[in-house]
Amino acid sequence: MSRYTSVTDQDLEAMLGAIGAGSLDDLFEDIPESVRLNRPIDLPAGRSEQEVNDHLGALAGRNRHCDAEVSFLGAGMYDHYVPALVDNLLSRSEFLTPYTPYQPEISQGGLQVMFEFQTAISELTGLPVANASVYDGPSAVAAAGYLAKLETRRGTLVTSRGVHPHSRAALRTHAAGYGMTVEEVPLTAEGATDLEALAGAVGDDTAAVFLQQPNFLGTVEELGELAEAAGGSGAIVVCAADPLPLGILKPPGEQGVDICVGEGQTLGNRLDFGGPSFGFFAAGERFLRKMPGRIAGETVDVDGKRGFVLTLQTREQHIRREKATHNICTSQALNALAGVVYLSWLGKRGLVELAELMLRRTHYAREALGLEPINPGPVVREFAVHVPDLDGLFEQARTEGVNPGYRLARDYPEYEDGLLVAVTERRTRADIDRLASLVRERERVAA
Amino acid sequence: MSRYTSVTDQDLEAMLGAIGAGSLDDLFEDIPESVRLNRPIDLPAGRSEQEVNDHLGALAGRNRHCDAEVSFLGAGMYDHYVPALVDNLLSRSEFLTPYTPYQPEISQGGLQVMFEFQTAISELTGLPVANASVYDGPSAVAAAGYLAKLETRRGTLVTSRGVHPHSRAALRTHAAGYGMTVEEVPLTAEGATDLEALAGAVGDDTAAVFLQQPNFLGTVEELGELAEAAGGSGAIVVCAADPLPLGILKPPGEQGVDICVGEGQTLGNRLDFGGPSFGFFAAGERFLRKMPGRIAGETVDVDGKRGFVLTLQTREQHIRREKATHNICTSQALNALAGVVYLSWLGKRGLVELAELMLRRTHYAREALGLEPINPGPVVREFAVHVPDLDGLFEQARTEGVNPGYRLARDYPEYEDGLLVAVTERRTRADIDRLASLVRERERVAA
Amino acid sequence: MSDLDPRARNETVTIFERSRAGRRAFVAPEPDVPEAPLDELLPESQRRERPAELPEVSEPELVRHYVTLSSKNFHLDEGFYPLGSCTMKHNPKLHERVAALPGHARLHPLQDPEYAQGALELMWRLQGALGEIAGLPHVSLQPSAGSQGELTGLLLTRAYHEDRGERRTKVLTPDTAHGTNPATVTMAGYQVVKVGTAPDGGVDLDDLREKTDDDVACLMLTNPNTLGLFDRNIEEIAGVVHDAGATLYYDGANLNAVMGVARPGDMGFDIVHFNLHKTFTQPHGGGGPGAGPIAVSNRIEPFLPAPQVVRSGDGSFELDHDRPKSIGKLRGFQGNFGVFVRSYAYICSLGGDGLEEASKVAVLNANYLKARLAEEGIGEYLPIAFDRTCMHEFVLSGSEAKRRLDLRTLDIAKRMLDHGVHPPTVYFPLLVEEALMIEPTETEPKERLDHFAEVVRAILEEAAEDPQIAKNAPYTTPVRRLDEAGAAKRPVVRWRPSQENPGDPDRARKAPASGSGAM
Amino acid sequence: MSDLDPRARNETVTIFERSRAGRRAFVAPEPDVPEAPLDELLPESQRRERPAELPEVSEPELVRHYVTLSSKNFHLDEGFYPLGSCTMKHNPKLHERVAALPGHARLHPLQDPEYAQGALELMWRLQGALGEIAGLPHVSLQPSAGSQGELTGLLLTRAYHEDRGERRTKVLTPDTAHGTNPATVTMAGYQVVKVGTAPDGGVDLDDLREKTDDDVACLMLTNPNTLGLFDRNIEEIAGVVHDAGATLYYDGANLNAVMGVARPGDMGFDIVHFNLHKTFTQPHGGGGPGAGPIAVSNRIEPFLPAPQVVRSGDGSFELDHDRPKSIGKLRGFQGNFGVFVRSYAYICSLGGDGLEEASKVAVLNANYLKARLAEEGIGEYLPIAFDRTCMHEFVLSGSEAKRRLDLRTLDIAKRMLDHGVHPPTVYFPLLVEEALMIEPTETEPKERLDHFAEVVRAILEEAAEDPQIAKNAPYTTPVRRLDEAGAAKRPVVRWRPSQENPGDPDRARKAPASGSGAM
Ligand SMILES: Cc1ncc(COP(=O)(O)O)c(C=O)c1O
Ligand SMILES: Cc1ncc(COP(=O)(O)O)c(C=O)c1O
């Protein structure tokens, strides 16, 4: 018997007796012989907790994590400090182990957390309604595309190349299903979305236009202008946003954006090699009944006591089935909890302080590196530069425990020698100066 | 305002108003000018959570812990595997943050844990009553000495040199207070307590005799014989025991031992560079009202519902003051919780399996090393050997990430070249063989 | 009286209402770079005019707020949770420990594979284990949950057919299917065609044959199905579907019934999704995270999402992004790696036999509880929907309780809350009147099953005397029955400060539900 | 009715009663050494005949058992905990994280100092900080808690006097002293001499002068004392004691009132103990662990326990065991290092000003709550014992409530439980009739203090109408008032299997308090 099951021999006997079965195998008689496995599963035998702990520890030991090097990697997920109280609260069985709150009377904790989360996202994005989370940033972008299809019945989606490559990829993959085509609008020589090209790309068949703030290169986009150009012919304007810079950036909701989505990892979530984190989805009032995913709403109980429930479920698959506005069921509740706890930890002033620190360090880093910028304009949290000797820099830096950042060429052939450098509150001035001195060293070598 | 306090300017104003004070400083007027500090405390300024986290992380990074080397260190604390559920339960605010359960109606969790802990310790030691914990093993030994003084009013304490050096030291230190002398009985050439010497040392003025099972060298003592010799003239027989080997060793309570104490670190507690862990204290019924520390007892509430309370408090300092049987107040409740959870995790058969594994590995290791044993007889979890080239072995082993064990000379001048080697379920056969090959290598070098 | 009420002590206050201007839990790290004026760094046009109204609270009050909220949740470590179709099995604490190791939790998703060999090996091993369990050779871990796994499966089906120059338009789903199946069909651009259920609870073969033509792209099946019954005709079904050139999709939510006993691949399925948060014990977290990896046959493999984890000749592990026929990406990066760690640890702990034992005990527990609930005093009110040996779960009908006791399934469920057990899934599957869908899982001991049976009996006996007690239940929960209709009619989906301007530090104190009385 | 009772769902069952023969949460690692027969390894005489009767439970049930138990505790992260003299301040979660780092948690106490420099530096820095806060140059971190710190202090006093060839026999303690003080005096082999309290709540100077002769070894003082009052005459007191050649001992349990404001060393104290689990926020853990470091003056230093952490010339850190005049060891190894980590982190977070602010806000909160509790409707029933500005805590007398409302302090305390706040320390200090000793600490926001005042008011108003309600309280707790007298008369201090033999797997099911009904 495994350490997770409890059937003693006495139990087995008593239970089979009550069932009226002779043996465990009798219970499987409905399974045709011909499809039975009839051999043990070909996997290593079970191990003790200690052995599994050590095996996983050994695997983890072969990964170089963000405390084991000075890393300027970003490109969609960022090394932020997660306060200890987030770990502690998420480890509580009360939050960790329940299912989706189908029984509100015994799920008020989880439901109120969703309500608070929705409020915080609404505050950040400047949009009145938000859901309780979707899978991640890119799938949130794809979900916005599906909503646009349901809403407009139009055939094409237009996206700026400043939108995260994974978001654009997910959009294409999903669009292939719900039958829409995706067009891309290039970036200007300054690494911002090309306003004219955008205006030109949008037409009567455009269901939605996708922007990102700051964009993938860290450029602070002129969101208002872009949204105006995008929304003209009735297309839904979708903006993917990084929630931390939103602490100091004008909210998309105040600039003509209809739907604001984004990746929530930066809000108190771990890097986890890419997941789980959460995606958020905020929109204008008119989209409320077309939103994907869970939404918590405030109400009262029979005694008039304040309480919360999952609401507007007629949007959802378990009620509406093929007519549902999305197929999502399990989403990212625990990660969203981390998000709202983290935002409450930062608080009204803390969010601004952190965003300003990031802003200043980003600009300091761009100057300190002294490399030709790809996006010379305003940037926050991330910026892109041309590096003459990119391979050489990586080679030396990695041996010295520094990770210079993300090579743009992987997703942007047009930036063959491009390096994307991310800065957070974890990267001190000393870290930045260290990268800068490596850059200069390579220049000397090259010269 | 710090992140742990909440007084806003508005609060301060309102509160001072209600108090009728003009300023915060007015509240300190009772403190004579002449004893005021009148300058800031000379300590670094406060830091953010992230900075403190990194600072402590850097300090921790400069310690070589038991996962960073293959360690055979023991000598009182041992590297055992602590199951994840212990960490999780101890991290729950419900267990972590309450004070001693002075209000039983809202402390049933902690009180029942104490009751279960006492039961488990009673089972291990074979003695009917146990308290809810004392500070650690050595102070438990000293507490037994004090109980013996209160009980017998005699003047001397006799201890085997097989008792942990720290326990003997603590006994001496405490005895100097309550006015008793401590005599030591030597070990035989086989590293066991010298029965005749013991019999000779015990007399009419002997209040208590102290033994340890297994003793400091890992020797399995003939407890019955020793207890008989020790108890003859009315002295109280105290045995310090390691709870894990007790899974297969005859309980002290069945061999004429009156009081069994011990170090609880091995029961689900961290090494923590020496503490906190807990000491346990079990005894015969007749000592119940002289025991130190908290004791939980079962009772019922006004509705006849089963419940638990701190009982026999008339022994304790807060009630009996100068007549108390000990001065202990705060003890080690959380560590004792880890202890009973760990024992329940091991369970009836698991404890035996673990103890047998340790027993076999200990004997395997002693043979594999092939060095002249100091204690050739039965040993469990630890054993002592003569190492001709001790310095050389340490020098090479440490550079290769192996910690051979504990140098006995530090506490036993008589074992100048003595090495004490500890084995737990964490040290695999491969680890043991690695140490053995190091030993042989040194021998070749020497030859 | 309200003083005697244990609920009086935790009034419902949102974190926003606890806010007081000037308080903080966060302190910023030393600013170590020049304090350049912001307007030099940010264009006026893109600067936020007023800060987002996040709460201002100290750490102690922040912790208390969420700890208190947590105590209003029923959870798996508290008691029995037989929520049908959700496989609420024990979540080992070890998994949280290993998932939290810095090498896992602090690993950047774009770390050069050379420096992420441990993570890639873990994924590679997990792929192998899932493939072996499903009986299908190729695995993609990318999908974020079951429903995204389903979508991936249908997008693969579409790519497969299109690659063969076919444009099929319909997908078959049984009327017992979970809601995500038809919802997924629509999202994938297909049209749903329902297949009926036979008297024995399996797929109605005649109906299936009739509806399966060469316009059908796929049949989505759950086996055992949502009735907890294994479809004895699975081979015929596979035959029909494959003869029509369609793919057969396995909704793996019920895999916990058959591990080591029978494999979807051997049953003829082309595509399988796993719910790692069910069968492989990722904690549900109150609604995620989860992961919905898929396993596929050779003919589907070319279309799998990118990247794939592969092992290269020298034994090292790589991410293969170069997959010309791939459907692309469903989401960011490599999927929910943190979930993979837990499920891989689970597989290591149990091993092959352990997984088989898990399924067998799950089925044993379900059949035992089914037997207990068939006893006199229960069975006549809650008859089993389809009286066969069940697999890991079974479905009762509340029809008789409704008819004879005027007790609805909802009332039974709500009354259970007062007994400290979580109700089963209710009103699903749809074809069973007043359905109760019960899945005990293998990690429950016999005592918990017995206790649950006694609770059901007690509720029915009580109702025989006075059904009102159950109709007004629950009584002992943090809140009682809530006005869901009202919530949907006038949706309040975010907190808003009362009249006073949000900046006013006193607003919370003035706000009705707040104030010091609310501590 | 009991079905409606939320307590019905968590019957009281010990882990031993949940045991079923054959179940297990533990699986042993692979035996990798020869399976030598045990009787070759252990002498018959020392082999256990029957295994210890530990419980046999699966991991899921083990977790549920202790999680359920935990939910029966009131705790600091749940609500207000003004337990006088215990300094129940917030425990930052960061401290648990850094204490759990392998470099701390998995460090062996006998690790060669060369490989434990981080730990030794942390201890050295903590020593320095505590010395600066106390105003005394030398610190030993070894004592395990306050009471062991006190014992250390008196053993140091003894060693100091004996070193000067003196054998003194008496130690003075005020009648307001905490119980550990006199208990420690006896353990240290001294005789207790009580000193009276003056009308202003301070030490009665005349009584002190009268009792201080050259047979007095030490005066143990708490300042502010257990009444929460700072003794204005501290200098005169120090003078009297020192003139007699005795040492002055500072019980640091109340240090939270004066950090950064005044230092014991500057007041003339020779020896100070700290309660790291109070002033420096080590979580109390339901009764420990804690730590009771001591700081001493130069003349006491030679006698400090061994080992001491020292910094050598090259800046590296060492453990100095070679201390010829040392009193030796109070306990094993270097003390409760895990506690040091948390308290050091706390000091780093707050810094000098933060510590001063903590004390000032602690005093502010106490005086504010004192003012609220002096309001009409409360103050006339619970008069302040000594009406002065208090420090971090204050003591009310329940004498009037008893006289006018027939309400004992115990009843007030028990009624508070129904309001979700923890009662103050009651019936201490002894010289105050029906005492309530209230210490809010600095981490409580004003709302919590206001709420507490309202709770007290509500209880008194309720009692004015019907004192029985409070006399029978509490009503909403997991259990109600317990029979403590009975528990002491017939002590049941361990669980014993019922009649049947302990091996019988059914014993638990047969045992009264258990059975499936107990889930
Ligand atoms: C039968 C069935 N299919 C699919 C799903 C959807 O899985 P997920 O919630 O992971 O998207 C579920 C989950 O409830 C299910 O029970
Ligand atoms: C005034 C006073 N002195 C001494 C002590 C004893 O401290 P500890 O419990 O750490 O032994 C306490 C603790 O309650 C106390 O309040």
Side-chain angles (χ1 to χ4, degrees), chain B residues 15-241:
Chain B
M15 293 166 83
L16 286 174
I19 296 167
S23 74
L24 257 181
D25 293 337
D26 292 0
L27 302 176
F28 293 88
E29 67 207 352
D30 277 348
I31 302 182
E33 255 312 317
S34 45
V35 302
R36 299 237 189 144
L37 182 54
N38 291 325
R39 64 160 173 84
I41 302 177
D42 183 13
L43 287 174
R47 275 170 275 179
S48 68
E49 177 171 327
Q50 171 186 327
E51 288 160 318
V52 176
N53 177 77
D54 295 350
H55 172 52
L56 275 284
L59 287 172
R62 284 165 47 213
N63 302 322
R64 193 185 282 187
H65 57 80
C66 280
D67 295 332
E69 66 182 354
V70 176
S71 176
F72 293 89
L73 258 185
M77 287 202 171
Y78 303 89
D79 175 24
H80 286 287
Y81 180 75
V82 177
L85 59 84
V86 167
D87 288 355
N88 178 267
L89 289 167
L90 267 63
S91 77
R92 290 181 60 79
S93 301
E94 292 85 343
F95 282 133
L96 184 67
T97 67
Y99 203 76
T100 302
Y102 292 139
Q103 297 288 344
E105 299 87 348
I106 53 168
S107 310
Q108 285 300 295
L111 286 161
Q112 184 173 328
V113 165
M114 290 180 184
F115 183 78
E116 294 178 351
F117 171 82
Q118 292 164 190
T119 305
I121 294 300
S122 168
E123 278 294 324
L124 286 177
T125 57
L127 287 161
V129 301
N131 76 2
S133 82
V134 292
Y135 303 128
D136 72 345
S139 55
V141 167
Y146 189 56
L147 187 153
K149 176 204 168 68
L150 298 180
E151 180 77 13
T152 68
R153 302 274 155 211
R154 295 180 178 184
T156 54
L157 301 167
V158 174
T159 174
S160 159
R161 270 180 76 74
V163 173
H164 194 293
H166 293 177
S167 299
R168 286 181 280 127
L171 193 60
R172 280 192 300 272
T173 301
H174 284 75
Y178 47 75
M180 296 176 84
T181 58
V182 180
E183 287 173 22
E184 296 197 348
V185 173
L187 298 178
T188 65
E190 286 68 40
T193 302
D194 186 323
L195 181 59
E196 280 168 27
L198 180 72
V202 177
D204 297 348
D205 192 43
T206 308
V209 176
F210 295 83
L211 306 164
Q212 183 172 312
Q213 180 76 316
N215 75 17
F216 186 70
L217 303 182
T219 307
V220 177
E221 298 268 17
E222 277 300 338
L223 207 49
E225 296 174 3
L226 294 171
E228 193 176 357
S233 53
I236 292 172
V237 182
V238 182
C239 178

Side-chain angles (χ1 to χ4, degrees), chain A residues 99 329-330, chain C residues 85 145-147 150 178 180 226 251 253 273 275 277-278:
Chain A
Y99 203 76
C329 179
T330 293
Chain C
S85 205
S147 61
E150 295 171 30
H178 186 267
T180 51
T226 59
D251 176 338
H273 89 247
N275 300 73
H277 44 300
K278 296 179 180 183

Side-chain angles (χ1 to χ4, degrees), chain C residues 90-427:
Chain C
H90 173 64
N91 306 129
K93 299 303 175 192
L94 169 65
H95 300 178
E96 300 312 307
R97 172 188 283 177
V98 293
L101 292 170
H104 293 142
R106 310 256 310 115
L107 180 61
H108 193 285
L110 295 171
Q111 177 63 287
D112 185 332
E114 178 186 347
Y115 300 102
Q117 284 295 300
L120 294 172
E121 177 173 349
L122 187 150
M123 291 171 72
W124 187 82
R125 288 173 177 271
L126 179 59
Q127 287 175 9
L130 293 176
E132 161 67 8
I133 292 164
L136 287 165
H138 311 287
V139 173
S140 167
L141 299 174
Q142 190 176 115
S144 310
S147 61
Q148 200 174 56
E150 295 171 30
L151 181 62
T152 309
L154 290 190
L155 293 175
L156 287 170
T157 292
R158 176 180 292 280
Y160 164 75
H161 289 303
E162 287 178 356
D163 186 57
R164 298 164 68 240
E166 293 187 0
R167 294 205 153 280
R168 300 184 174 222
T169 62
K170 296 183 293 183
V171 169
L172 306 177
T173 64
D175 52 10
T176 54
H178 186 267
T180 51
N181 294 183
T184 301
V185 171
T186 308
M187 264 186 95
Y190 287 108
Q191 181 196 331
V192 174
V193 177
K194 266 208 210 124
V195 180
T197 296
D200 77 342
V203 170
D204 179 333
L205 270 173
D206 302 332
D207 192 37
L208 175 69
R209 289 204 185 83
E210 193 182 308
K211 290 172 175 164
T212 308
D213 55 32
D214 55 17
D215 208 19
V216 169
C218 174
L219 166 63
M220 299 182 83
L221 215 58
T222 312
N223 193 22
N225 63 16
T226 59
L227 296 163
L229 303 173
F230 191 92
D231 201 313
R232 305 185 183 106
N233 305 323
I234 185 61
E235 289 164 297
E236 291 86 328
I237 293 168
V240 172
V241 171
H242 287 151
D243 292 348
T247 63
L248 187 57
Y249 182 88
Y250 185 88
D251 176 338
N254 293 348
L255 187 67
N256 205 50
V258 296
M259 289 186 292
V261 178
R263 310 193 301 174
D266 301 336
M267 301 175 203
F269 286 91
D270 302 282
I271 308 170
V272 170
H273 89 247
F274 305 82
N275 300 73
L276 295 188
H277 44 300
K278 296 179 180 183
T279 319
F280 299 95
T281 197
Q282 161 68 30
H284 283 86
I294 54 166
V296 303
S297 59
N298 289 325
R299 58 175 177 156
I300 304 296
E301 188 278 336
F303 312 102
L304 283 176
Q308 278 289 92
V309 178
V310 296
R311 181 168 207 164
S312 48
D314 65 0
S316 69
F317 301 90
E318 287 294 335
L319 283 172
D320 177 9
H321 294 269
D322 175 24
R323 303 183 50 78
K325 290 188 165 187
S326 167
I327 58 169
K329 294 182 74 64
L330 276 298
R331 51 157 294 150
F333 306 109
Q334 292 82 239
N336 285 338
F337 177 79
V339 177
F340 306 155
V341 174
R342 293 170 174 88
S343 293
Y344 177 68
Y346 180 66
I347 290 170
C348 290
S349 291
L350 265 59
D353 349 347
L355 293 170
E356 181 176 343
E357 188 221 0
S359 285
K360 289 189 165 167
V361 176
V363 170
L364 174 71
N365 278 356
N367 279 283
Y368 175 71
L369 186 53
K370 175 168 156 291
R372 290 291 327 260
L373 294 177
E375 288 173 3
E376 184 177 351
I378 303 176
E380 60 268 42
Y381 300 109
L382 303 175
I384 180 89
F386 292 82
D387 196 0
R388 278 169 50 191
T389 299
C390 68
M391 301 300 285
H392 66 302
E393 67 188 346
F394 58 97
V395 179
L396 302 181
S397 166
S399 51
E400 287 305 302
K402 186 174 171 188
R403 202 171 57 73
R404 295 164 55 173
L405 299 175
D406 182 29
L407 202 63
R408 300 195 52 231
T409 283
L410 183 72
D411 303 321
I412 297 173
K414 294 305 181 191
R415 189 66 178 117
M416 286 179 178
L417 303 180
D418 290 321
H419 287 272
V421 297
H422 196 288
T425 294
V426 292
Y427 299 101

Side-chain angles (χ1 to χ4, degrees), chain D residues 85 87 222-228 250-258 275 279 392-393 437 439:
Chain D
S85 206
T87 315
T222 314
N223 194 23
N225 64 16
T226 60
L227 296 163
Y250 186 89
D251 176 337
N254 294 349
L255 187 67
N256 206 50
V258 294
N275 300 74
T279 319
H392 66 302
E393 67 188 347
M437 184 188 209
E439 179 182 15

Side-chain angles (χ1 to χ4, degrees), chain D residues 77-249:
Chain D
D77 287 348
E78 175 179 355
F80 190 45
Y81 212 131
L83 194 63
S85 206
C86 299
T87 315
M88 299 300 286
K89 63 171 67 177
H90 173 63
N91 306 129
K93 300 303 174 192
L94 169 66
H95 301 178
E96 301 312 307
R97 172 188 281 176
V98 292
L101 292 169
H104 293 142
R106 310 255 310 115
L107 180 61
H108 193 284
L110 296 171
Q111 177 61 290
D112 185 331
E114 180 185 346
Y115 300 102
Q117 285 296 298
L120 294 173
E121 177 172 348
L122 187 151
M123 291 171 72
W124 187 81
R125 287 174 177 270
L126 179 59
Q127 286 176 8
L130 294 175
E132 162 67 9
I133 292 163
L136 287 164
H138 311 287
V139 172
S140 167
L141 299 175
Q142 191 175 111
S144 310
S147 62
Q148 200 175 56
E150 296 172 27
L151 181 61
T152 309
L154 290 189
L155 293 175
L156 288 169
T157 292
R158 175 180 292 282
Y160 164 75
H161 289 304
E162 287 178 356
D163 187 58
R164 299 164 69 239
E166 292 186 3
R167 295 204 153 281
R168 300 185 173 219
T169 62
K170 297 182 293 185
V171 170
L172 305 178
T173 63
D175 52 11
T176 54
H178 187 266
T180 51
N181 294 184
T184 302
V185 172
T186 308
M187 263 186 96
Y190 287 108
Q191 181 195 331
V192 175
V193 177
K194 268 209 210 118
V195 181
T197 296
D200 77 344
V203 169
D204 179 334
L205 269 174
D206 302 334
D207 192 37
L208 175 68
R209 290 203 185 82
E210 192 182 312
K211 290 172 174 164
T212 309
D213 56 28
D214 55 16
D215 209 18
V216 168
C218 175
L219 166 64
M220 298 181 85
L221 214 59
T222 314
N223 194 23
N225 64 16
T226 60
L227 296 163
L229 303 173
F230 191 92
D231 202 312
R232 304 185 183 106
N233 305 322
I234 184 60
E235 290 164 297
E236 291 87 327
I237 294 168
V240 173
V241 172
H242 287 150
D243 292 348
T247 63
L248 187 58
Y249 182 88

